[in-house]
Amino acid sequence: MTVLRIGAGALAVVLFTVGCAGERAQSSVEPTAGASTTVTSPTVTGTPIARVALGEAPRRSASPTARPTPKPTRTAPRTATKPPQETQLPPPPPPSSTACTPHHQGMPASRTQVKAALADAAAKTYWPTSAPDIRIPPALIKATAWQESGWQSAVVACDGGIGLMQVMPATADWMNQRFGQSYDVWDYRDNAYLGANYLAWLTKYIGDMYFDDYRLDATLCSAELNSCLLNAVIAAYNYGHGAVASEGSPLTIPNPRYVGNVRALMTECVCLSY
């Protein structure tokens, strides 16, 4: 995949993955349209290859009186203890590409519109019958959208990822069939629903296999990346469920840089104040 380097931005090293839903290797699009671009192909040691973008994750100043929340003691299961109950699985990730530059298509939504769409998507119940307690934290969907697209609703990645949540068309088709919906991947509001719905599906799928728990709670995470459901769901959104969770196998986090960046954005992203 390519990196879109946008001229004058005040952002320094953010791992924007232009592409979603577990889809493929990482890419980047800065949250600025219409500037000159430069394509590069950085190499990152280890597997898989991550794509590094210009600019740091936007940060907000922490409160001087803020104190860290104590983390409860918890030993997370590392190996799947039960077969997956889900029989309808998302399509496999498409092959990555380094031969193009992400582009924009259609009329972009305003920041206010994007904020409202992401808030609505986070508030929706996606498993009303079998897991009505699954909720996608607003900070998680906002951070994921910023990581994936910089909240650009009209951006299209080289591999076909579309919009705010960089949903692949094949993934959108699968989600609509699986949940009996008719979301339009090109509509920024439906795109937000698709991304949040996929996060909810991953929460149930991985939660059932490894945790018997659906809490996307950072306080349950230890220094070991595979210690909590939150890290696993973030990883699978970017790399696909099969790269993270499979029957009889240890829970794997193949993209620690992506996970770390989204986790940081959940508390430090300037987008949280929009």
Side-chain angles (χ1 to χ4, degrees), residues 124-201:
K124 190 175 175 64
T125 299
Y126 294 98
W127 291 90
T129 302
S130 57
D133 54 332
I134 290 180
R135 291 289 193 279
I136 305 304
L140 174 57
I141 191 170
K142 286 182 177 181
T144 302
W146 191 270
Q147 170 74 23
E148 291 289 329
S149 69
W151 282 24
Q152 296 181 91
S153 63
V155 69
V156 181
C158 295
D159 55 11
I162 296 168
L164 291 176
M165 304 299 290
Q166 284 296 284
V167 182
M168 299 296 296
T171 302
D173 291 343
W174 174 80
M175 293 288 290
N176 282 331
Q177 187 276 328
R178 171 65 182 81
F179 289 94
Q181 300 294 332
S182 56
Y183 296 130
D184 178 2
V185 71
W186 292 101
D187 182 279
Y188 72 94
R189 292 156 296 195
D190 284 3
N191 194 287
Y193 284 136
L194 282 163
N197 203 159
Y198 187 65
L199 287 168
W201 182 87

Side-chain angles (χ1 to χ4, degrees), residues 193-264:
Y193 284 136
L194 282 163
N197 203 159
Y198 187 65
L199 287 168
W201 182 87
L202 290 168
T203 298
K204 189 172 190 304
Y205 182 76
I206 300 174
D208 284 343
M209 287 181 69
Y210 291 88
F211 296 94
D212 291 323
D213 191 341
Y214 300 138
R215 287 178 293 171
L216 298 173
D217 187 347
T219 65
L220 300 175
C221 304
S222 71
E224 296 184 50
L225 282 174
N226 66 350
S227 63
C228 63
L229 181 59
L230 175 62
N231 286 350
V233 167
I234 293 171
Y237 189 91
N238 169 239
Y239 239 74
H241 70 281
V244 175
S246 58
E247 183 179 355
S249 299
L251 186 67
T252 302
I253 307 296
N255 48 353
R257 297 180 68 186
Y258 180 91
V259 173
N261 208 57
V262 172
R263 285 285 307 276

Side-chain angles (χ1 to χ4, degrees), residues 100-112:
C100 82
T101 299
H103 65 279
H104 292 79
Q105 182 172 329
M107 182 67 68
S110 69
R111 180 181 294 174
T112 300

